[in-house]
Amino acid sequence: MSELEFIKGIGNSTVSKLNKLDIYSVEDLITYYPYRYEILKKTSLEDEHSVVTGKIESTPTISYFGKSKNRLNFKININDYLINVTIFNRGYLKNNLVIGKTITIIGKYDKEKNTFNASDIKLEDIGDKTNINPIYHKVKGLTDKNLNKYINLALQAGYVIDYIPNQITDKYHFMSKKDALNLIHNPSNNIKLKEALIRSKYEELFLFMLKINELKNKNNIKNIGYSKNIDLDKIQSFIKTLPFSLTEDQEITLDEIFDDLKSEKRMNRLVQGDVGSGKTIVAIISMYAMHLNNYQSALMAPTEILAHQHYENMIKLFKDYDINIKEILGSTPKKEKEVIYEELKQGKIDMIIGTHALLQEQIEFNNLGLVITDEQHRFGVNQRTNLRNKGNLPDVLYLSATPIPRTYALTIYGDMDISIIRSKPQGRKEIITLVKDNSEITDVLTKIKNELDLGHQVYIVSPLIENDESDDEDIIKLERKFKLAFKNKNIGIMHGKMTPSEKDDIMKKYQNKEIDILISTTVIEVGVDVKNATMIVIFDAYKFGLATLHQLRGRVGRNDLQSYCILVTNRETKRLDIMKEVSDGFVLAEEDFKLRGSGDLFGTKQHGDMKFKIANLTKDYDILLKAKEDSGIILEEIDNYPLLKGILKDSINKD
Ligand code: ADP
Ligand code: MG
């Protein structure tokens, strides 16, 4: 039984609907914030957008058309005028619209036709004051009204834990948490609502920054590690075996890493570099430097495809070296895993590459000296600590393809030093980005054919695996179409429902040019590196955010061949225009900050503790800065705040 069922008025069928919204506890429910407010005030019938109240004069008639569309028609009496009302897709309201009932209609009045085209209907007289109605994200079977009712029941039941310490509440004259939540869910006026929102945002950001500050403190306390020797000669001769010379930013970043390794201070460094800027080789060289000190090192990647790619890459790079490199994935057979555990413990393995399988408790190292997390933004703050805590005070390096503006980086990655790789390897041509309407598909196919004729490979991306409901493309439909259009080409598909080894198999074939056209969902988004792929075509591109589009585009243009990114869409959006204009991830990130209405940082997966329910790191940056400062002060005397201490313990003190 869920604690939600203890609330009078909430039964188990409601609980299961609430669960679909990720609401499991009372706290979840009362902090299920509206994502916007609808503001309604009566107007005259003549207004461009009118809100008027009247009495129903005729039983609605309903007509059905299209796949699942319907239209209601009825007559209403407004100040003794009889007016026709039309509304689309509200068939379910028919039985509520009975003759004599007073309702409020919202929409536009067409005087000539004497018809009111309603966009919404309220089944009541909304009165003469301004109505501010909370609008929530919902699932089937829940309306704004009943969600709001459940939230209020929970609020009345009296369970509200306030996390903000009194001294801060006093400092900012915050209202109580209960009052704030009451106002947010039942707003009466705008000014009070604003105060309530600020208070709730503050609380969320305060708790977040408390964790970040705690991480930073812990790093400082455990700051003393071991100083390592940097054998530049050997490192240089390894670098000479690479098929390219390092970019200036790669060299600067390596110098910064070497300085960290040489010092007794433990390294805790984030390397930020745009897609394709060459972060991997920096990681690998650092691992080699560690190996020269007889330390083990670990490299963790967010997907099996990527982990395996790193592994193969390293096997190649170190083929003439006596270095024992292994990989461990979720799909690695148990027997093999056990051998790896044993060899890690005995120090027989020098470098290990894996997914979060590496975080498993059984894994012990002999002398782990360096831990690297690739695509760090895919992991949460909590996971930052886990690998750090393995081994004997290892140095820690994070790689991230998420270029976030420096001020934000300093805040949310406030516990780390930061290196930036901005320059791309020499000879890279700018990827040509085109936006094409669905109707221009033959043109797109010609462009694909041109690339294939040059012996290059192509990625095709669709947001969906399979859907029958709409005309949107999906992997299965696209596979059929491409097989027809390119009869003599090899076509492969890949998506998240395949097992890791199936995906790996496909990637291998693509890598070996046994597949010409790879049709995939965004599972290829992260890190995948196939140099001969020169074109990526993204269907229904309007469905993706800037960060994802940029990551997907980064799958091509990975050597000196001219590459293309084609965004196919039946809806033009600002985002797609920006993609056409801007290729620099750092600039895109700034644009993304300007555009985003809600929540997360550019490309940062909404991962557990990085997920904000009400705060927005961009818009609420000022609140964030205050929360940062305050949480630092509270942290100094955390023993006086057992509630907060408990939270920190639960979330990050897992060592
Ligand atoms: P990302 O920063 O996106 O992780 P990778 O590390 O995968 O990028 O590098 C992208 C590609 O560029 C790889 O094929 C890599 O071998 C190559 N590369 C890395 N550094 C250089 C360089 N200095 N010159 C030329 N190619 C490079
Ligand atoms: Mg990478």
Side-chain angles (χ1 to χ4, degrees):
M1 181 150 163
S2 149
E3 76 169 347
L4 290 170
E5 281 182 50
F6 285 102
I7 300 171
K8 254 203 161 122
I10 298 187
N12 60 16
S13 79
T14 304
V15 170
S16 66
K17 281 175 208 155
L18 293 174
N19 288 168
K20 284 193 192 132
L21 294 169
D22 273 339
I23 300 173
Y24 296 96
S25 65
V26 172
E27 172 84 15
D28 292 344
L29 183 57
I30 58 182
T31 58
Y32 192 74
Y33 297 107
Y35 70 94
R36 69 178 181 93
Y37 290 94
E38 171 193 59
I39 303 199
L40 276 188
K41 190 172 168 49
K42 276 191 204 167
T43 65
S44 90
L45 195 54
E46 271 74 36
D47 281 19
E48 179 66 17
H49 176 83
S50 46
V51 179
V52 288
T53 295
K55 218 175 228 169
I56 299 175
E57 291 276 346
S58 77
T59 306
T61 56
I62 187 162
S63 40
Y64 296 94
F65 57 98
K67 253 186 190 165
S68 54
K69 301 195 174 92
N70 62 65
R71 183 177 57 214
L72 283 178
N73 285 303
F74 58 94
K75 288 191 169 44
I76 195 169
N77 179 331
I78 296 172
N79 300 333
D80 290 336
Y81 285 105
L82 211 53
I83 289 169
N84 299 308
V85 181
T86 298
I87 186 162
F88 286 96
N89 300 328
R90 298 296 160 91
Y92 57 87
L93 282 180
K94 185 172 188 292
N95 294 334
N96 296 319
L97 300 170
V98 290
I99 294 176
K101 188 175 171 66
T102 302
I103 60 169
T104 303
I105 52 179
I106 298 141
K108 194 173 169 14
Y109 178 54
D110 181 337
K111 204 167 181 177
E112 253 158 56
K113 294 186 183 148
N114 188 34
T115 295
F116 193 96
N117 295 303
S119 57
D120 199 9
I121 289 180
K122 303 279 164 201
L123 297 170
E124 66 203 348
D125 182 342
I126 62 160
D128 289 326
K129 59 176 194 342
T130 305
N131 290 254
I132 311 176
N133 302 322
I135 309 291
Y136 303 90
H137 287 296
K138 297 171 282 282
V139 288
K140 230 188 163 133
L142 283 174
T143 62
D144 289 310
K145 261 220 155 106
N146 55 31
L147 243 174
N148 183 259
K149 185 180 88 188
Y150 301 135
I151 291 169
N152 280 315
L153 285 172
L155 272 172
Q156 278 151 27
Y159 311 80
V160 177
I161 306 170
D162 191 341
Y163 295 103
I164 303 183
N166 286 340
Q167 67 184 83
I168 293 180
T169 303
D170 293 347
K171 177 172 161 190
Y172 297 115
H173 308 290
F174 280 147
M175 61 182 80
S176 76
K177 180 163 177 177
K178 192 161 183 174
D179 287 348
L181 291 173
N182 255 320
L183 279 162
I184 288 171
H185 294 295
N186 313 289
S188 50
N189 78 62
N190 244 327
I191 296 169
K192 277 277 163 213
L193 174 61
K194 262 197 192 126
E195 277 180 38
L197 289 171
I198 289 176
R199 192 224 172 274
S200 288
K201 289 172 174 182
Y202 178 90
E203 178 171 306
E204 195 170 35
L205 292 169
F206 172 80
L207 292 177
F208 177 70
M209 286 315 302
L210 196 71
K211 284 187 208 168
I212 296 279
N213 277 325
E214 165 77 352
L215 278 175
K216 188 178 187 172
N217 284 355
K218 294 194 86 174
N219 295 344
N220 285 339
I221 295 165
K222 296 194 189 158
N223 213 354
I224 304 302
Y226 301 96
S227 145
K228 280 102 188 172
N229 174 40
I230 297 297
D231 190 337
L232 267 184
D233 287 345
K234 283 196 175 146
I235 292 172
Q236 282 306 343
S237 62
F238 171 65
I239 292 175
K240 284 214 184 82
T241 68
L242 300 176
F244 47 74
S245 50
L246 297 180
T247 65
E248 196 183 335
D249 284 352
Q250 283 172 323
E251 279 179 1
I252 293 171
T253 300
L254 272 173
D255 281 343
E256 288 168 343
I257 292 171
F258 292 161
D259 282 343
D260 287 350
L261 298 184
K262 279 188 277 189
S263 87
E264 276 189 8
K265 180 176 156 270
R266 276 179 86 186
M267 175 164 71
N268 189 41
R269 180 171 293 280
L270 172 73
V271 176
Q272 266 194 24
D274 205 350
V275 258
S277 62
K279 294 179 291 293
T280 320
I281 195 64
V282 170
I284 294 173
I285 295 170
S286 311
M287 290 170 91
Y288 180 57
M290 264 309 171
H291 172 70
L292 294 174
N293 283 276
N294 293 316
Y295 279 101
Q296 293 172 296
S297 52
L299 172 59
M300 186 167 83
T303 64
E304 298 214 346
I305 297 177
L306 190 54
H308 186 67
Q309 178 185 291
H310 287 330
Y311 170 73
E312 297 215 304
N313 192 5
M314 287 168 69
I315 290 284
K316 253 185 239 153
L317 289 173
F318 291 117
K319 67 176 186 309
D320 297 328
Y321 291 72
D322 183 20
I323 301 178
N324 188 4
I325 305 171
K326 286 278 156 65
E327 71 175 333
I328 184 163
L329 309 173
S331 59
T332 307
K334 204 166 164 231
K335 277 237 170 69
E336 264 174 59
K337 273 188 188 156
E338 274 156 12
V339 175
I340 291 176
Y341 295 157
E342 197 48 40
E343 291 185 353
L344 276 174
K345 209 155 129 187
Q346 293 173 2
K348 285 185 187 156
I349 294 175
D350 303 307
M351 298 177 183
I352 179 107
I353 297 97
T355 52
H356 46 264
L358 272 176
L359 293 173
Q360 274 159 22
E361 270 177 36
Q362 302 97 301
I363 297 197
E364 282 174 48
F365 292 85
N366 181 40
N367 60 344
L368 179 65
L370 174 64
V371 172
I372 303 176
T373 316
D374 193 12
E375 309 287 347
Q376 149 63 31
H377 56 288
R378 297 255 145 189
F379 298 94
V381 175
N382 295 349
Q383 283 160 306
R384 268 186 219 166
T385 33
N386 285 341
L387 260 182
R388 270 180 68 84
N389 294 331
K390 295 232 175 242
N392 195 2
L393 304 175
D395 286 301
V396 183
L397 189 63
Y398 305 95
L399 310 180
S400 174
T402 298
I404 54 179
R406 205 174 169 81
T407 41
Y408 297 89
L410 286 176
T411 307
I412 70 157
Y413 294 126
D415 54 320
M416 309 176 187
D417 295 313
I418 299 180
S419 296
I420 293 180
I421 304 184
R422 209 170 168 137
S423 52
K424 291 257 168 84
Q426 253 193 344
R428 292 278 164 84
K429 296 195 178 65
E430 184 130 322
I431 300 167
I432 296 175
T433 303
L434 306 166
V435 178
K436 293 277 171 190
D437 189 84
N438 284 14
S439 63
E440 297 171 283
I441 190 70
T442 42
D443 183 26
V444 175
L445 291 175
T446 309
K447 291 198 156 55
I448 294 173
K449 185 172 180 301
N450 290 344
E451 280 315 295
L452 294 171
D453 285 348
L454 291 168
H456 301 162
Q457 289 155 283
V458 175
Y459 290 106
I460 307 290
V461 176
S462 158
L464 301 169
I465 301 176
E466 196 168 12
N467 89 102
D468 303 321
E469 277 150 37
S470 70
D471 297 335
D472 291 349
E473 291 299 353
D474 62 50
I475 302 292
I476 306 298
K477 274 187 221 158
L478 285 169
E479 182 186 22
R480 204 174 51 229
K481 291 183 191 171
F482 274 89
K483 279 192 168 152
L484 282 175
F486 297 95
K487 286 209 173 70
N488 52 0
K489 294 291 172 192
N490 295 317
I491 294 170
I493 64 169
M494 191 165 78
H495 53 73
K497 287 197 180 149
M498 294 162 73
T499 66
S501 72
E502 286 171 333
K503 279 187 269 186
D504 191 45
D505 215 47
I506 296 284
M507 271 329 288
K508 251 185 219 145
K509 285 191 176 145
Y510 195 59
Q511 192 72 262
N512 296 335
K513 302 194 195 176
E514 290 163 44
I515 290 173
D516 305 297
I517 303 175
L518 178 59
I519 304 174
S520 170
T521 55
T522 53
V523 291
I524 55 148
E525 177 192 342
V526 183
V528 174
D529 188 44
V530 178
K531 291 197 171 55
N532 190 50
T534 52
M535 179 176 281
I536 183 163
V537 180
I538 306 172
F539 282 89
D540 297 316
Y542 71 90
K543 290 187 179 168
F544 295 110
L546 273 182
T548 303
L549 289 171
H550 183 60
Q551 289 292 331
L552 286 170
R553 179 167 62 183
R555 292 315 109 224
V556 300
R558 298 182 80 83
N559 63 11
D560 51 9
L561 299 170
Q562 177 62 57
S563 291
Y564 303 86
C565 170
I566 304 184
L567 307 169
V568 182
T569 180
N570 55 10
R571 243 185 261 180
E572 283 273 340
T573 68
K574 182 96 195 284
R575 286 201 303 276
L576 300 184
D577 284 339
I578 294 176
M579 282 296 292
K580 240 183 338 193
E581 307 290 319
V582 182
S583 59
D584 182 326
F586 286 87
V587 180
L588 269 185
E590 298 279 0
E591 290 293 331
D592 202 41
F593 274 112
K594 285 184 218 153
L595 270 185
R596 242 169 222 272
S598 72
D600 59 342
L601 277 172
F602 184 77
T604 309
K605 248 231 163 119
Q606 294 229 333
H607 222 299
D609 42 22
M610 291 289 279
K611 187 152 109 188
F612 295 99
K613 283 180 151 187
I614 190 165
N616 174 319
L617 289 183
T618 317
K619 291 185 179 160
D620 304 322
Y621 191 61
D622 294 341
I623 305 178
L624 180 74
L625 289 181
K626 289 200 179 97
K628 181 183 181 182
E629 193 186 327
D630 297 336
S631 62
I633 295 167
I634 295 294
L635 206 53
E636 282 173 20
E637 33 192 84
I638 192 75
D639 286 335
N640 298 337
Y641 304 94
L643 182 65
L644 296 175
K645 202 175 168 185
I647 292 182
L648 287 179
K649 204 169 204 151
D650 283 349
S651 71
I652 48 184
N653 290 14
K654 281 184 181 135
D655 45 329

